[in-house]
Amino acid sequence: MDNERGLAVSAANRTGLRLQWSPVIAGALAAAALSVILIGFGAAVGLGVSSSSPSWRDASAALALLSGLYLILQALVSFGVGGYIAGRAQRVIGATPSDEIDSRDGLHGLTAWALAVILGATIVALVGLSTARPVVQNRPSATAAEPLLSAELDRLYRSVRRPANLDIGYERAEAGRILLTSSGRSGVSSDDRSYLIQQVAAATGLPAAEAEKRVDSVMGDARTAIQRSRRSAVILAFSVAAALLFGAVAAWAAAGAGGRHRDGAALPEWMGGRPTTAVPIV
């Protein structure tokens, strides 16, 4: 009776899709590390999908598209390597059907992909919090418009007559909030426009006519900058989603290839394996 129960437990263990966490963690760490290296290299050569620099808004659509394609390519490579390690390092215990082995390999690759994504998202969140906290502490009046429309705000309040020790931080933040409404359907209201003209004239010492001309010019530039920023945000979101989706497929396929390589089969041609030639039957 005990013998039959032990055989039943052993058969259940062989047929269940059970994870081995050591290969999964190894594959996830390798994928995350390689992804950081490739993204850093792409940013160094100018293929960043987004940037905090105002000059990024003037980048062409072709450069933004090329940056998105590079993000997808690095995801295929990094998650493919991580999936291959997860499938290659998995141990097959006992006699298991080949289709179940392929399912286990793919599951290990997909789990390594998910763990690498969570690890990468955690790192990005921590870096974002560490860089945003000093800005909030040092500039309590800063708004979301400050990094986006910093050049426009500089041009709006530029003056050689203003004293050097005059703090206009709150005025800049208030003007930034007004300029953010320029890209809306109704645009900047007439009251806000008149108020902004008065503030600029008082802070810069310009005549009312010149202040009005400067405000109208800056509002047009701000509207263009916001539209370009939205375009970059859409490209970034689409590129990240496509990279993660293709990365999951690459991790699953590479894990299956790694498992077959572990079992003695040759690597497929798309992973650098030698092409196999069929032997003619005489």
Side-chain angles (χ1 to χ4, degrees), residues 1-247:
M1 187 70 176
D2 292 340
N3 235 352
E4 294 177 357
R5 185 178 301 171
L7 290 175
V9 171
S10 177
N13 289 337
R14 286 197 303 269
T15 56
L17 294 177
R18 304 182 63 184
L19 288 175
Q20 298 175 14
W21 285 104
S22 295
V24 168
I25 294 175
L29 291 177
L34 186 57
S35 180
V36 169
I37 293 173
L38 292 177
I39 290 178
F41 173 77
V45 299
L47 291 178
V49 181
S50 65
S51 174
S52 58
S53 174
S55 62
W56 170 258
R57 302 172 308 187
D58 299 329
S60 63
L63 179 59
L65 181 60
L66 182 61
S67 301
L69 291 177
Y70 178 80
L71 186 63
I72 296 174
L73 178 62
Q74 69 82 24
L76 291 174
V77 174
S78 57
F79 289 121
V81 171
Y84 172 81
I85 293 175
R88 181 72 172 78
Q90 185 200 175
R91 293 180 301 170
V92 179
I93 303 174
T96 308
S98 59
D99 57 344
E100 185 176 335
I101 293 177
D102 291 339
S103 299
R104 285 186 181 182
D105 293 335
L107 181 62
H108 278 72
L110 194 61
T111 308
W113 164 83
L115 187 59
V117 170
I118 294 174
L119 181 62
T122 303
I123 294 174
V124 170
L126 292 177
V127 171
L129 288 176
S130 63
T131 55
R133 189 174 302 147
V135 175
V136 174
Q137 292 176 352
N138 297 333
R139 296 288 303 279
S141 60
T143 63
E146 188 66 32
L148 176 62
L149 303 176
S150 56
E152 284 74 16
L153 291 172
D154 290 339
R155 190 162 60 252
L156 188 65
Y157 286 99
R158 185 174 300 158
S159 175
V160 295
R161 304 176 186 176
R162 186 174 61 247
N165 58 352
L166 182 62
D167 184 17
I168 59 170
Y170 181 79
E171 286 77 5
R172 284 176 61 95
E174 191 175 23
R177 289 189 288 269
I178 293 176
L179 291 177
L180 283 177
T181 63
S182 61
S183 63
R185 180 176 300 178
S186 57
V188 178
S189 65
S190 58
D191 293 338
D192 287 340
R193 178 177 174 274
S194 300
Y195 175 77
L196 190 57
I197 292 173
Q198 294 174 4
Q199 291 293 321
V200 171
T204 61
L206 292 174
E210 294 186 15
E212 181 179 4
K213 184 178 180 181
R214 178 181 293 189
V215 167
D216 291 339
S217 175
V218 169
M219 283 195 302
D221 294 340
R223 188 182 305 109
T224 303
I226 294 173
Q227 291 174 355
R228 290 178 176 175
S229 178
R230 286 176 177 172
R231 182 194 66 184
S232 299
V234 169
I235 294 176
L236 174 61
F238 178 80
S239 301
V240 169
L244 292 179
L245 179 61
F246 288 128

